[in-house]
Amino acid sequence: MRIDTSNSRAYLSPYDAETFWSTAPKATELVTRLQALSSPRIGKAVSLRRRDVRIPDAPSVEIPIVEITDAKDTREDGDGQHRYSWVPRSLYDDLEDWCETEGIAPDEEIIPGGVSKHQKAIRRTRQRIADDTGSEIWQDYPTSHDFRIYFATNSFRRLGLDLEVVMRMGGWESR
């Protein structure tokens, strides 16, 4: 994990992300995987309804998507972004399994509990990793926003996606 002290951000490696996810409770794992692999902010990730994550009806489309509505909009005339991002098939399948196990209907939140609950769970998971590894860096990082940073850097640098596509999926206007 590389820390940028000038803006208090962590840049996670795939190993760091997997370490976090394998240690986190299932709901926290799913929330942060949504952020890291599909780009919503934590407030949106915890308020997504089952119907927001789906495979489109178009016969030529096999990639699951997440529809993100009323997202943070930094444009001067903005009144909330509406955008789509992809969902890796393994995450989609895990979300579907979770919904089936938890009895979540299409109009219900996939991972209820609100931002505060999941922020606390992220901190507890970090502390557990810090205790297990002896690495103090885990006490402060990653934050929920660092998982969105992971989405951008992983999509662009590791997966080689076009920067404009990454920006659209993540809701960023500025490079």
Side-chain angles (χ1 to χ4, degrees), residues 66-84:
V66 58
E67 181 176 7
I68 302 168
T69 57
D70 297 322
K72 182 178 178 181
D73 193 341
T74 56
R75 297 173 299 178
E76 192 172 304
D77 63 343
D79 59 355
Q81 277 189 354
H82 186 156
R83 60 188 164 90
Y84 296 91

Side-chain angles (χ1 to χ4, degrees), residues 63-117:
I63 299 171
I65 60 161
V66 58
E67 181 176 7
I68 302 168
T69 57
D70 297 322
K72 182 178 178 181
D73 193 341
T74 56
R75 297 173 299 178
E76 192 172 304
D77 63 343
D79 59 355
Q81 277 189 354
H82 186 156
R83 60 188 164 90
Y84 296 91
S85 187
W86 68 0
V87 178
R89 188 58 185 235
S90 61
L91 176 54
Y92 176 79
D93 291 343
D94 288 349
L95 289 168
E96 282 294 300
D97 289 346
W98 168 266
C99 289
E100 290 299 317
T101 300
E102 299 295 316
I104 297 169
D107 61 334
E108 293 179 321
E109 290 179 349
I110 298 171
I111 309 165
V115 172
S116 179
K117 173 186 174 182

Side-chain angles (χ1 to χ4, degrees), residues 27-28 31 42 46 111-123:
T28 305
V31 165
I42 192 165
V46 300
I111 309 165
V115 172
S116 179
K117 173 186 174 182
H118 293 289
Q119 294 281 29
K120 288 176 186 172
I122 289 169
R123 285 193 294 275

